[in-house]
Amino acid sequence: MHNVSSAALRRDLGRLIGGGTVLTDRASRIAAGTDFVTQRGMPAAVVRPTETDQIAPVLGFANQRGIPVVSRGAATNLSAAMLPNAESVVLDLSQLNRILDIDTQARCA
């Protein structure tokens, strides 16, 4: 992967997702790269889509450029399996927290 600037990632990914958020500030990158263990990684950017249709463009963008993507949900992982590096993008899915449907027969939402 080639070295991509944070400003370029913020600009390009921001165009792709529209209403979502792209964070490249140090505090957001540290928070997204920290699991509930002593290990830590620092991603190049954090993308917080607000709609599910914003995910595929981010994955396509990253795939075309060879940028690793690490997805993050509710940050409940305790095994340090999610450790981004300086060339990765964290796809923070925590904003996608609406119940879309409740199926009482299958007992699921």
Side-chain angles (χ1 to χ4, degrees), residues 55-67:
I55 297 170
V58 172
L59 295 175
F61 173 89
N63 186 48
Q64 289 176 345
R65 289 160 182 80
I67 300 170

Side-chain angles (χ1 to χ4, degrees), residues 12-81:
D12 295 343
L13 289 169
R15 285 184 193 149
L16 285 174
I17 66 169
T21 304
V22 178
L23 303 166
T24 56
D25 63 281
R26 184 171 170 77
S28 296
R29 292 168 39 225
I30 288 172
T34 303
D35 228 325
F36 293 104
V37 293
T38 58
Q39 297 172 325
R40 179 181 300 171
M42 174 94 73
V46 181
V47 178
R48 289 187 182 144
T50 55
E51 302 294 331
T52 56
D53 61 357
Q54 296 169 332
I55 297 170
V58 172
L59 295 175
F61 173 89
N63 186 48
Q64 289 176 345
R65 289 160 182 80
I67 300 170
V69 176
V70 178
S71 91
R72 183 176 173 99
T76 56
N77 182 5
L78 299 178
S79 67

